[in-house]
Amino acid sequence: MATKSIRRVTACVVALALPLAAQAYPGNAASKEASTAAAHAGMAMGAADLKMAHAHLQHVVNCLVGPSGDGYDAQAENPCKGMGQGAIADAKSDAARQSRLQEAAMEARKGVKAATVDEAHASAQKVMSSLQAVQGPAT
């Protein structure tokens, strides 16, 4: 019980802090989208049930791949709407960053299909790690 509470508090702190990090690079769509995706990965990590974890992981996918990307679900919310074409597409000038974003998207798609909340939380953690590695402006 204490572990779940700690996980939720940590996820909430991360979810609140990452959008602030994106503001340091206001002209960079990929950074904004990646930061928003990371916030939703944090929300998925703290989700109490599988349905909510799936929803937030789908938000991650939508932010990373954009409306024309693999796994985009138009029926789900796109919290990155209006920011760009998806973090992966918007990071095209930085191959290393784009590769990390693709890894995060692949893991988020896996999490959307997770059968248990623990599996979804594990995927969300991996997504968060990948996205934290790409914070900052694209070159």
mmCIF file of all heavy atoms in Angstrom, residues 74-106:
data_model
loop_
_atom_site.group_PDB
_atom_site.id
_atom_site.type_symbol
_atom_site.label_atom_id
_atom_site.label_comp_id
_atom_site.label_asym_id
_atom_site.label_seq_id
_atom_site.Cartn_x
_atom_site.Cartn_y
_atom_site.Cartn_z
ATOM 1 N N ALA A 74 -7.686 8.546 -32.914
ATOM 2 C CA ALA A 74 -8.458 9.785 -32.986
ATOM 3 C C ALA A 74 -9.607 9.819 -31.985
ATOM 4 O O ALA A 74 -10.110 10.892 -31.658
ATOM 5 C CB ALA A 74 -8.995 9.980 -34.408
ATOM 6 N N GLN A 75 -9.997 8.655 -31.473
ATOM 7 C CA GLN A 75 -11.073 8.599 -30.483
ATOM 8 C C GLN A 75 -10.580 8.992 -29.089
ATOM 9 O O GLN A 75 -11.368 9.338 -28.225
ATOM 10 C CB GLN A 75 -11.688 7.193 -30.440
ATOM 11 C CG GLN A 75 -12.253 6.727 -31.764
ATOM 12 C CD GLN A 75 -13.336 7.659 -32.295
ATOM 13 O OE1 GLN A 75 -14.252 8.021 -31.575
ATOM 14 N NE2 GLN A 75 -13.204 8.065 -33.546
ATOM 15 N N ALA A 76 -9.282 8.919 -28.893
ATOM 16 C CA ALA A 76 -8.685 9.282 -27.600
ATOM 17 C C ALA A 76 -8.238 10.742 -27.659
ATOM 18 O O ALA A 76 -8.018 11.306 -28.729
ATOM 19 C CB ALA A 76 -7.484 8.386 -27.303
ATOM 20 N N GLU A 77 -8.075 11.325 -26.499
ATOM 21 C CA GLU A 77 -7.613 12.704 -26.420
ATOM 22 C C GLU A 77 -6.197 12.824 -26.975
ATOM 23 O O GLU A 77 -5.385 11.916 -26.858
ATOM 24 C CB GLU A 77 -7.614 13.152 -24.955
ATOM 25 C CG GLU A 77 -7.143 14.573 -24.754
ATOM 26 C CD GLU A 77 -7.062 14.960 -23.289
ATOM 27 O OE1 GLU A 77 -7.549 14.222 -22.425
ATOM 28 O OE2 GLU A 77 -6.478 16.019 -23.019
ATOM 29 N N ASN A 78 -5.919 13.959 -27.594
ATOM 30 C CA ASN A 78 -4.565 14.286 -28.010
ATOM 31 C C ASN A 78 -4.167 15.557 -27.260
ATOM 32 O O ASN A 78 -4.453 16.659 -27.706
ATOM 33 C CB ASN A 78 -4.456 14.510 -29.509
ATOM 34 C CG ASN A 78 -3.038 14.843 -29.932
ATOM 35 O OD1 ASN A 78 -2.115 14.833 -29.126
ATOM 36 N ND2 ASN A 78 -2.865 15.158 -31.204
ATOM 37 N N PRO A 79 -3.517 15.412 -26.103
ATOM 38 C CA PRO A 79 -3.154 16.589 -25.317
ATOM 39 C C PRO A 79 -2.109 17.469 -26.005
ATOM 40 O O PRO A 79 -1.850 18.574 -25.548
ATOM 41 C CB PRO A 79 -2.615 16.006 -24.012
ATOM 42 C CG PRO A 79 -2.270 14.606 -24.306
ATOM 43 C CD PRO A 79 -3.135 14.167 -25.440
ATOM 44 N N CYS A 80 -1.554 17.015 -27.115
ATOM 45 C CA CYS A 80 -0.562 17.795 -27.855
ATOM 46 C C CYS A 80 -1.153 18.465 -29.096
ATOM 47 O O CYS A 80 -0.413 19.040 -29.902
ATOM 48 C CB CYS A 80 0.608 16.898 -28.250
ATOM 49 S SG CYS A 80 1.550 16.333 -26.824
ATOM 50 N N LYS A 81 -2.442 18.399 -29.233
ATOM 51 C CA LYS A 81 -3.104 18.997 -30.386
ATOM 52 C C LYS A 81 -2.709 20.472 -30.500
ATOM 53 O O LYS A 81 -2.757 21.214 -29.530
ATOM 54 C CB LYS A 81 -4.626 18.868 -30.252
ATOM 55 C CG LYS A 81 -5.385 19.363 -31.452
ATOM 56 C CD LYS A 81 -6.867 19.122 -31.297
ATOM 57 C CE LYS A 81 -7.587 19.600 -32.546
ATOM 58 N NZ LYS A 81 -9.020 19.348 -32.459
ATOM 59 N N GLY A 82 -2.295 20.865 -31.680
ATOM 60 C CA GLY A 82 -1.911 22.242 -31.936
ATOM 61 C C GLY A 82 -0.458 22.571 -31.632
ATOM 62 O O GLY A 82 -0.004 23.674 -31.914
ATOM 63 N N MET A 83 0.279 21.628 -31.066
ATOM 64 C CA MET A 83 1.692 21.876 -30.745
ATOM 65 C C MET A 83 2.608 21.605 -31.940
ATOM 66 O O MET A 83 3.672 22.197 -32.045
ATOM 67 C CB MET A 83 2.146 21.000 -29.575
ATOM 68 C CG MET A 83 1.553 21.370 -28.264
ATOM 69 S SD MET A 83 2.260 20.284 -26.982
ATOM 70 C CE MET A 83 1.220 20.701 -25.608
ATOM 71 N N GLY A 84 2.228 20.661 -32.771
ATOM 72 C CA GLY A 84 3.060 20.260 -33.906
ATOM 73 C C GLY A 84 2.475 19.024 -34.559
ATOM 74 O O GLY A 84 1.283 18.749 -34.410
ATOM 75 N N GLN A 85 3.318 18.279 -35.235
ATOM 76 C CA GLN A 85 2.876 17.094 -35.985
ATOM 77 C C GLN A 85 3.137 15.796 -35.240
ATOM 78 O O GLN A 85 3.011 14.722 -35.811
ATOM 79 C CB GLN A 85 3.576 17.058 -37.348
ATOM 80 C CG GLN A 85 3.281 18.257 -38.211
ATOM 81 C CD GLN A 85 1.779 18.437 -38.416
ATOM 82 O OE1 GLN A 85 1.088 17.502 -38.831
ATOM 83 N NE2 GLN A 85 1.272 19.612 -38.119
ATOM 84 N N GLY A 86 3.498 15.880 -33.978
ATOM 85 C CA GLY A 86 3.908 14.726 -33.178
ATOM 86 C C GLY A 86 5.396 14.848 -32.918
ATOM 87 O O GLY A 86 6.162 15.296 -33.780
ATOM 88 N N ALA A 87 5.817 14.486 -31.725
ATOM 89 C CA ALA A 87 7.214 14.682 -31.335
ATOM 90 C C ALA A 87 8.182 13.975 -32.272
ATOM 91 O O ALA A 87 9.246 14.511 -32.591
ATOM 92 C CB ALA A 87 7.427 14.218 -29.900
ATOM 93 N N ILE A 88 7.839 12.789 -32.726
ATOM 94 C CA ILE A 88 8.732 12.037 -33.611
ATOM 95 C C ILE A 88 8.936 12.787 -34.918
ATOM 96 O O ILE A 88 10.076 12.998 -35.351
ATOM 97 C CB ILE A 88 8.203 10.607 -33.844
ATOM 98 C CG1 ILE A 88 8.245 9.819 -32.533
ATOM 99 C CG2 ILE A 88 9.001 9.899 -34.944
ATOM 100 C CD1 ILE A 88 7.501 8.500 -32.574
ATOM 101 N N ALA A 89 7.865 13.214 -35.539
ATOM 102 C CA ALA A 89 7.963 13.965 -36.801
ATOM 103 C C ALA A 89 8.662 15.307 -36.588
ATOM 104 O O ALA A 89 9.466 15.734 -37.432
ATOM 105 C CB ALA A 89 6.576 14.181 -37.391
ATOM 106 N N ASP A 90 8.389 15.953 -35.486
ATOM 107 C CA ASP A 90 8.959 17.274 -35.231
ATOM 108 C C ASP A 90 10.425 17.225 -34.810
ATOM 109 O O ASP A 90 11.088 18.264 -34.768
ATOM 110 C CB ASP A 90 8.130 18.012 -34.183
ATOM 111 C CG ASP A 90 6.735 18.369 -34.699
ATOM 112 O OD1 ASP A 90 6.559 18.462 -35.932
ATOM 113 O OD2 ASP A 90 5.824 18.540 -33.870
ATOM 114 N N ALA A 91 10.934 16.039 -34.504
ATOM 115 C CA ALA A 91 12.350 15.882 -34.136
ATOM 116 C C ALA A 91 13.174 15.360 -35.305
ATOM 117 O O ALA A 91 14.276 14.855 -35.115
ATOM 118 C CB ALA A 91 12.470 14.941 -32.939
ATOM 119 N N LYS A 92 12.679 15.520 -36.522
ATOM 120 C CA LYS A 92 13.347 14.934 -37.687
ATOM 121 C C LYS A 92 14.778 15.438 -37.890
ATOM 122 O O LYS A 92 15.580 14.777 -38.523
ATOM 123 C CB LYS A 92 12.518 15.148 -38.946
ATOM 124 C CG LYS A 92 12.349 16.597 -39.330
ATOM 125 C CD LYS A 92 11.436 16.746 -40.527
ATOM 126 C CE LYS A 92 11.113 18.218 -40.715
ATOM 127 N NZ LYS A 92 9.725 18.465 -40.921
ATOM 128 N N SER A 93 15.111 16.586 -37.321
ATOM 129 C CA SER A 93 16.465 17.117 -37.485
ATOM 130 C C SER A 93 17.463 16.527 -36.487
ATOM 131 O O SER A 93 18.639 16.855 -36.521
ATOM 132 C CB SER A 93 16.452 18.640 -37.343
ATOM 133 O OG SER A 93 16.072 19.001 -36.025
ATOM 134 N N ASP A 94 16.987 15.637 -35.604
ATOM 135 C CA ASP A 94 17.843 15.053 -34.569
ATOM 136 C C ASP A 94 17.582 13.546 -34.514
ATOM 137 O O ASP A 94 16.672 13.081 -33.823
ATOM 138 C CB ASP A 94 17.539 15.717 -33.227
ATOM 139 C CG ASP A 94 18.454 15.274 -32.107
ATOM 140 O OD1 ASP A 94 19.035 14.169 -32.194
ATOM 141 O OD2 ASP A 94 18.569 16.028 -31.122
ATOM 142 N N ALA A 95 18.383 12.786 -35.241
ATOM 143 C CA ALA A 95 18.159 11.341 -35.374
ATOM 144 C C ALA A 95 18.211 10.613 -34.034
ATOM 145 O O ALA A 95 17.417 9.696 -33.796
ATOM 146 C CB ALA A 95 19.170 10.738 -36.351
ATOM 147 N N ALA A 96 19.115 11.003 -33.158
ATOM 148 C CA ALA A 96 19.229 10.332 -31.857
ATOM 149 C C ALA A 96 17.968 10.565 -31.028
ATOM 150 O O ALA A 96 17.442 9.637 -30.410
ATOM 151 C CB ALA A 96 20.461 10.826 -31.104
ATOM 152 N N ARG A 97 17.501 11.784 -31.008
ATOM 153 C CA ARG A 97 16.277 12.105 -30.269
ATOM 154 C C ARG A 97 15.088 11.382 -30.877
ATOM 155 O O ARG A 97 14.262 10.814 -30.166
ATOM 156 C CB ARG A 97 16.019 13.606 -30.277
ATOM 157 C CG ARG A 97 14.678 13.947 -29.644
ATOM 158 C CD ARG A 97 14.412 15.394 -29.714
ATOM 159 N NE ARG A 97 14.983 15.977 -28.511
ATOM 160 C CZ ARG A 97 14.781 17.221 -28.149
ATOM 161 N NH1 ARG A 97 14.090 18.013 -28.910
ATOM 162 N NH2 ARG A 97 15.289 17.678 -27.033
ATOM 163 N N GLN A 98 15.013 11.386 -32.179
ATOM 164 C CA GLN A 98 13.906 10.723 -32.859
ATOM 165 C C GLN A 98 13.882 9.235 -32.532
ATOM 166 O O GLN A 98 12.821 8.651 -32.293
ATOM 167 C CB GLN A 98 14.021 10.952 -34.365
ATOM 168 C CG GLN A 98 12.748 10.673 -35.104
ATOM 169 C CD GLN A 98 12.852 11.071 -36.554
ATOM 170 O OE1 GLN A 98 13.827 10.753 -37.227
ATOM 171 N NE2 GLN A 98 11.833 11.758 -37.044
ATOM 172 N N SER A 99 15.042 8.617 -32.455
ATOM 173 C CA SER A 99 15.128 7.200 -32.113
ATOM 174 C C SER A 99 14.601 6.953 -30.695
ATOM 175 O O SER A 99 13.852 5.995 -30.464
ATOM 176 C CB SER A 99 16.578 6.724 -32.239
ATOM 177 O OG SER A 99 16.687 5.384 -31.833
ATOM 178 N N ARG A 100 14.973 7.783 -29.743
ATOM 179 C CA ARG A 100 14.489 7.643 -28.357
ATOM 180 C C ARG A 100 12.978 7.845 -28.296
ATOM 181 O O ARG A 100 12.277 7.136 -27.565
ATOM 182 C CB ARG A 100 15.149 8.679 -27.446
ATOM 183 C CG ARG A 100 16.546 8.352 -27.081
ATOM 184 C CD ARG A 100 16.541 7.282 -26.028
ATOM 185 N NE ARG A 100 17.788 7.369 -25.294
ATOM 186 C CZ ARG A 100 18.010 6.758 -24.178
ATOM 187 N NH1 ARG A 100 17.094 6.025 -23.643
ATOM 188 N NH2 ARG A 100 19.164 6.862 -23.584
ATOM 189 N N LEU A 101 12.473 8.798 -29.053
ATOM 190 C CA LEU A 101 11.027 9.037 -29.078
ATOM 191 C C LEU A 101 10.297 7.839 -29.670
ATOM 192 O O LEU A 101 9.218 7.464 -29.198
ATOM 193 C CB LEU A 101 10.712 10.315 -29.863
ATOM 194 C CG LEU A 101 11.190 11.612 -29.219
ATOM 195 C CD1 LEU A 101 11.069 12.772 -30.204
ATOM 196 C CD2 LEU A 101 10.399 11.914 -27.943
ATOM 197 N N GLN A 102 10.875 7.226 -30.692
ATOM 198 C CA GLN A 102 10.269 6.033 -31.283
ATOM 199 C C GLN A 102 10.254 4.880 -30.287
ATOM 200 O O GLN A 102 9.272 4.135 -30.210
ATOM 201 C CB GLN A 102 11.003 5.647 -32.570
ATOM 202 C CG GLN A 102 10.731 6.610 -33.698
ATOM 203 C CD GLN A 102 11.637 6.418 -34.901
ATOM 204 O OE1 GLN A 102 12.711 5.822 -34.813
ATOM 205 N NE2 GLN A 102 11.209 6.949 -36.031
ATOM 206 N N GLU A 103 11.330 4.736 -29.506
ATOM 207 C CA GLU A 103 11.374 3.707 -28.461
ATOM 208 C C GLU A 103 10.263 3.954 -27.435
ATOM 209 O O GLU A 103 9.585 3.008 -27.008
ATOM 210 C CB GLU A 103 12.725 3.733 -27.735
ATOM 211 C CG GLU A 103 13.885 3.226 -28.522
ATOM 212 C CD GLU A 103 15.214 3.451 -27.799
ATOM 213 O OE1 GLU A 103 15.216 3.630 -26.559
ATOM 214 O OE2 GLU A 103 16.247 3.452 -28.480
ATOM 215 N N ALA A 104 10.109 5.201 -27.042
ATOM 216 C CA ALA A 104 9.071 5.544 -26.066
ATOM 217 C C ALA A 104 7.683 5.245 -26.630
ATOM 218 O O ALA A 104 6.818 4.710 -25.927
ATOM 219 C CB ALA A 104 9.189 7.014 -25.665
ATOM 220 N N ALA A 105 7.462 5.582 -27.888
ATOM 221 C CA ALA A 105 6.161 5.321 -28.515
ATOM 222 C C ALA A 105 5.886 3.821 -28.593
ATOM 223 O O ALA A 105 4.759 3.373 -28.328
ATOM 224 C CB ALA A 105 6.106 5.942 -29.910
ATOM 225 N N MET A 106 6.903 3.038 -28.934
ATOM 226 C CA MET A 106 6.741 1.584 -29.007
ATOM 227 C C MET A 106 6.362 1.022 -27.630
ATOM 228 O O MET A 106 5.456 0.196 -27.519
ATOM 229 C CB MET A 106 8.026 0.933 -29.506
ATOM 230 C CG MET A 106 7.915 -0.566 -29.695
ATOM 231 S SD MET A 106 9.392 -1.304 -30.429
ATOM 232 C CE MET A 106 10.569 -1.080 -29.114
#
